[in-house]
């Protein structure tokens, strides 16, 4: 009697995980390709990357606000944490993180604008390295020698990738620098997020709502300073419905990637999410070379493999270290 009941439920669980991981892969890869088309595609042809990023924040803010209103009206159907982004205490506590969030998404999109999709992962691969450096500098937490070796492998893979990419016509020093800045801002954002999450009762979606709301305001002066206002008003397709449809799709993709990421971590684990992200990056790189008809050298592919292997090894080592630390603390508690 027990076996027939267990097997279908187990099969359903694996099927659910398969669907969620598949959704994460599809949404994540689609988001990169859609953003690439919006930022530097010949069809859109709008040289205003900060405006595109600002509009995506605006769409995400509108979605979060709509969900919060629907959750108030139909709490049994929709669940969304309640909060007011105009509250003074909220502004004072969250705005520093939102500044980092603005820097993170802007540098990531600027990197994607100037480099090819195939090189995008390697261009932003130093996040783990910056995490280790900033964790030591800001939190005084040391990292094991094994993890440092993994970081060294990632740095070598990044250097080799830049060296090989520089031999191609698609290479951009500007895009590479924005990739490094994107990795740095992502690391700082991740560390500071841990400090701010208790303020919002660990509600990731509420924090996302605040970040997108504040970034929608922070981007306005940046757009002006970057000289994008005349570019926007002179854009010939500004009154075309297909252009705004593409912009909304980009915004929905930007919101969806946060949703499917949280969902994948929920149904699997942070380790599985990192492994899935690494495998997705590999598939994304292969797809990009085929889609854009790019031919890469053996050393270029080797650089990707080194970065992927170093990132995966780092994730696995950290997971084993955390598990050992947890078991040690459990034994100490029993004693």
């Amino acid at each position: 009697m027990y076996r027939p009941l267990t097997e279908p439920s187990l099969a359903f669980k694996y099927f659910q995980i398969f669907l969620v991981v598949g959704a994460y892969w599809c949404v994540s890869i689609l988001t990169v390709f859609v953003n690439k088309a919006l930022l530097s595609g010949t069809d859109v042809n709008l040289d205003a990357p900060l405006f595109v990023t600002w509009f995506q924040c605006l769409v995400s803010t509108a979605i979060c606000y709509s969900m919060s209103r629907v959750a108030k009206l139909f709490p049994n159907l929709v669940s969304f944490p309640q909060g007011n982004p105009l509250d003074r205490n909220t502004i004072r506590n969250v705005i520093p993180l939102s500044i980092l969030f603005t820097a993170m998404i802007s540098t990531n999109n600027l990197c994607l604008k100037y480099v090819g999709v195939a090189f995008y992962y390697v261009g932003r691969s130093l996040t783990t390295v910056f995490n280790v450096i900033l964790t030591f500098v800001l939190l005084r937490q040391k990292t094991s020698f094994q993890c440092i070796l993994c970081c060294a492998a990632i740095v070598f893979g990044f250097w080799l990738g830049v060296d090989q990419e520089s031999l191609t016509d698609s290479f951009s020093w500007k895009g590479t620098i924005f990739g490094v800045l994107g990795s740095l801002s992502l690391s700082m954002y991740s560390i500071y997020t841990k400090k701010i999450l208790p303020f919002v009762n660990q509600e990731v979606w509420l924090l996302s709502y605040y970040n997108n709301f504040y970034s929608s305001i922070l981007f306005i002066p940046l757009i002006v300073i970057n000289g994008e206002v005349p570019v926007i008003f002179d854009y010939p397709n500004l009154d075309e419905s297909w252009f705004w449809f593409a912009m909304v799709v980009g915004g929905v993709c930007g919101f969806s990637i946060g949703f499917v990421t949280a969902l994948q971590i929920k149904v699997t684990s942070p380790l599985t999410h990192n492994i899935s992200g690494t495998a997705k990056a590999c598939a994304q790189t292969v797809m990009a070379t085929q889609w854009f008809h790019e031919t890469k050298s053996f050393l270029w592919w080797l650089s990707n493999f080194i970065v992927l292997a170093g990132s995966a090894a780092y994730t696995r080592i950290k997971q084993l270290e955390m598990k050992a630390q947890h078991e040690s603390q459990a034994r100490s508690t029993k004693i």
Side-chain angles (χ1 to χ4, degrees), residues 113-293:
K113 173 179 173 61
Y114 293 110
V115 306
V117 176
F119 184 67
Y120 181 57
Y121 175 73
V122 173
R124 295 174 56 255
S125 61
L126 296 180
T127 302
T128 300
V129 179
F130 282 125
N131 273 338
V132 171
I133 296 173
L134 293 176
T135 299
F136 176 75
V137 172
L138 300 178
L139 305 178
R140 295 300 175 184
Q141 295 179 3
K142 295 183 178 180
T143 304
S144 67
F145 181 71
Q146 288 178 308
C147 288
I148 293 176
L149 285 179
C150 293
C151 290
I154 294 172
V155 171
F156 176 73
F158 172 80
W159 171 82
L160 181 61
V162 171
D163 177 70
Q164 293 300 302
E165 186 72 9
S166 65
L167 303 177
T168 66
D169 296 333
S170 61
F171 177 72
S172 167
W173 272 114
K174 185 183 292 186
T176 303
I177 292 172
F178 278 127
V180 174
L181 293 176
S183 299
L184 175 60
S185 57
L186 175 56
S187 299
M188 296 178 65
Y189 175 79
S190 300
I191 292 174
Y192 201 75
T193 296
K194 296 178 182 178
K195 180 181 177 181
I196 299 300
L197 273 174
F199 174 77
V200 294
N201 298 318
Q202 304 296 327
E203 295 287 356
V204 176
W205 284 116
L206 186 58
L207 187 59
S208 176
Y209 178 27
Y210 291 156
N211 278 331
N212 281 285
F213 179 86
Y214 298 141
S215 292
S216 300
I217 300 172
L218 292 170
F219 265 115
I220 294 175
L222 296 178
I223 291 172
V224 175
I225 294 172
N226 199 41
E228 295 184 8
V229 174
V231 175
I232 296 168
F233 283 104
D234 291 340
Y235 183 58
N237 298 320
L238 198 61
D239 58 346
E240 296 288 342
S241 58
W242 66 264
F243 166 71
W244 292 109
F245 175 77
M247 291 283 283
V248 171
V249 169
V252 172
C253 285
F255 173 82
S256 300
I257 188 62
F259 176 78
V260 294
T261 297
L263 188 61
Q264 180 172 244
I265 294 174
K266 181 179 179 180
V267 301
T268 58
S269 67
L271 173 64
T272 304
H273 166 67
N274 288 333
I275 294 173
S276 174
T278 302
K280 186 275 303 181
C282 181
Q284 177 180 291
T285 300
V286 174
M287 289 176 62
T289 55
Q290 297 300 312
W291 182 267
F292 295 104
H293 306 290

